[in-house]
Structure formats: C-alpha cells, structure tokens
C-alpha cells in the first residue's frame, strides 16, 4: 500500500532554513505528481507546492513563492521541500501528499512533520 | 485566486441524523472539487473527487454533489466515527482549500 513518510522538521529561528523530506513507497513514484500541504496549529489546510511526474512542471502558492523550493528524486522515490527565510507564520505541520492519477486531488497523505519557527 | 467558503463552521448532530455540508466557490470551478475528512490527530483522507465520485474504500453514506460554484457533501446517517473536520478543495486553478466544517456528534 502507499506509504509516505515525512522527516526533517524541527525548531529553528526566524531567517533560518530547513529541508523536509518525504520518502515514498508502495506505488510507482515517477508516475505521480506530488504536493506539499501545511497546517498551522489549530488551523485549516494550506496548499504550498506541486511538482509533476518528471519534475519539470512546478507550481507554488503565492505565500511561499521565492522562499520554498519543491524538488524530487525519482530514482530514490523521494520528495523534498526546501524552506528558506523561515518566519514565525511558517510554524505548522507539513504534509506530503500524492496526487490522484492525472489529477490535482490528494489521494494519499503522510503523517506530517512539524516545523516550529521561534526566536 | 479561487476562494472556497464552507458552511456551517460547526455542525452538531446526533447519530443516525443526516448531515449537509456546503462549499461555495468564488467563481465557477466546473466539477473540480474534492472533499476530505480529517479526524483528530490524523492527516486528511480523500472522500470525494470530481464533486461526486467516492474515493476507494469510502462508505456509501458519503455523497457529493454540485457543480459550478455550489457543492454539497451529504452524510446520510451519521456514525460516531464521523466526528471530524471536513474540507473542500478545488483544482480548477492551482489548488485551495475551504476553511473547514467541524462535525460534532451529540
């Protein structure tokens, strides 16, 4: 079955960087788009970024464009999110999610990794 | 940017009751709408895609309907395990979520 496992979260100071990783298994990773979605404490879901199958088509939410970078390594079945210039408002649980085939719905989700930005 | 507005914010119903959750889009999104269920402490789970198609393994008591700007998720007969926050999500223009409807079971 599909499994997505995020890692790389932690506690950082404002202005610092982190790289989140999502290890995928149970499906042909190279054939699916992948997304990052976050959820601030007690708040709703916020879509952040998508990278399609071959990594050439990438889109970002305006809130993170220019600060966050999504990438993937199909041979390793791994998805990444580089978070730069972190702000307090980036504090959240970050989920990776698999796109439903040829679609933009999210049909599988990881358990998430927590990022806390605090001075 | 397409804004999704969900109502009500909170819904409190008894087991066996029918729940009706609404999602309205700021512009027409055809049928490019999905519904997710998020139980406490868990990631979201896809319930409905393309407005009315149940995802794999989703019980038949969950039904989605609508197109254009107005969409509905109906839970025909509430079970205690349906306690959750429900989100709608559009994929017509990039991606965005509604703010969620919290379903409480009395």
């Amino acid at each position: 079955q599909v499994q997505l496992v995020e890692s790389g979260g932690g506690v950082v100071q404002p202005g610092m960087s982190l790289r989140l990783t999502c290890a995928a298994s149970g499906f042909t990773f190279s054939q699916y788009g992948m997304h990052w979605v976050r959820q601030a404490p007690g708040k709703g879901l916020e879509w952040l970024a998508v990278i399609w199958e071959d990594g050439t088509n990438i889109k970002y939410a305006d809130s993170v464009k220019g600060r966050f970078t999504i990438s993937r390594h199909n041979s390793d079945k791994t998805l990444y999110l580089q978070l730069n210039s972190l702000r307090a408002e980036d504090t959240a649980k970050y989920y990776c999610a698999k796109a439903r085939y040829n679609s933009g719905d999210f049909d599988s989700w990881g358990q998430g990794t927590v990022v806390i930005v605090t001075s | 940017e397409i804004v999704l507005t969900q109502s009500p914010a909170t819904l409190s119903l008894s087991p066996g009751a029918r729940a009706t959750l609404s999602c309205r889009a700021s512009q027409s999104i055809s049928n490019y709408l999905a519904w997710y269920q998020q139980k406490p402490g868990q990631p979201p789970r896809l319930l409905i895609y393309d407005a009315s198609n149940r995802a794999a393994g989703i019980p038949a008591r969950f039904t989605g309907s609508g197109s254009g700007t107005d969409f509905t998720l109906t839970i025909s007969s509430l079970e205690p395990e349906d306690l959750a926050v429900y989100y709608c999500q559009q994929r017509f223009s990039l991606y965005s979520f509604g703010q969620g409807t919290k379903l409480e079971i009395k």
Side-chain angles (χ1 to χ4, degrees):
Chain A
Q1 71 279 22
V2 173
Q3 190 168 11
L4 300 169
V5 180
E6 302 93 337
S7 61
V11 180
V12 296
Q13 293 182 330
M16 293 186 66
S17 298
L18 275 177
R19 189 175 79 158
L20 307 183
T21 298
C22 171
S25 61
F27 65 103
T28 306
F29 182 74
S30 60
Q31 293 183 359
Y32 290 88
M34 296 294 297
H35 299 258
W36 286 99
V37 176
R38 71 182 176 185
Q39 187 167 35
K43 303 296 184 183
L45 302 169
E46 180 186 13
W47 174 78
L48 299 178
V50 61
I51 183 167
W52 289 106
E53 293 83 346
D54 63 2
T56 59
N57 192 2
I58 290 172
K59 300 290 185 184
Y60 296 98
D62 287 344
S63 59
V64 303
K65 197 179 298 182
R67 294 193 302 125
F68 291 5
T69 302
I70 189 171
S71 61
R72 65 190 295 161
H73 205 205
N74 283 344
S75 59
D76 293 338
K77 300 181 181 181
T78 305
L79 175 72
Y80 302 99
L81 187 67
Q82 178 70 37
L83 287 61
N84 294 334
S85 303
L86 283 162
R87 307 165 180 166
E89 55 264 36
D90 296 319
T91 294
K93 179 173 280 190
Y94 286 72
Y95 295 101
C96 67
K98 170 183 164 292
R100 188 171 58 85
Y101 187 70
N102 268 351
S103 169
D105 314 308
F106 318 125
D107 67 359
S108 297
W109 298 65
Q111 291 295 315
T113 187
V114 174
V115 173
I116 298 172
V117 185
T118 180
S119 55
Chain B
E1 178 191 355
I2 294 176
V3 176
L4 299 178
T5 302
Q6 292 186 240
S7 61
T10 304
L11 192 55
S12 184
L13 294 168
S14 299
R18 180 186 188 92
T20 302
L21 288 67
S22 175
C23 177
R24 176 164 289 178
S26 58
Q27 66 184 76
S28 178
I29 57 171
S30 185
N31 68 334
Y32 295 144
L33 188 99
W35 289 93
Y36 298 83
Q37 176 193 63
Q38 186 177 31
K39 295 182 178 181
Q42 296 185 18
R45 176 175 71 149
L46 178 65
L47 295 176
I48 301 287
Y49 64 91
D50 293 346
S52 61
N53 296 286
R54 269 188 299 275
I58 301 303
R61 66 178 185 275
F62 292 91
T63 303
S65 63
S67 66
T69 60
D70 291 304
F71 301 87
T72 301
L73 174 68
T74 303
I75 310 172
S76 60
S77 180
L78 283 171
E79 302 276 350
E81 62 263 29
D82 296 333
L83 164 73
V85 179
Y86 293 82
Y87 295 95
C88 57
Q89 173 249 328
Q90 65 83 21
R91 63 179 181 88
F92 182 83
S93 175
L94 287 185
Y95 311 91
S96 56
F97 291 91
Q99 81 280 17
T101 290
K102 183 177 183 180
L103 179 58
E104 298 176 341
I105 310 297
K106 293 178 181 175

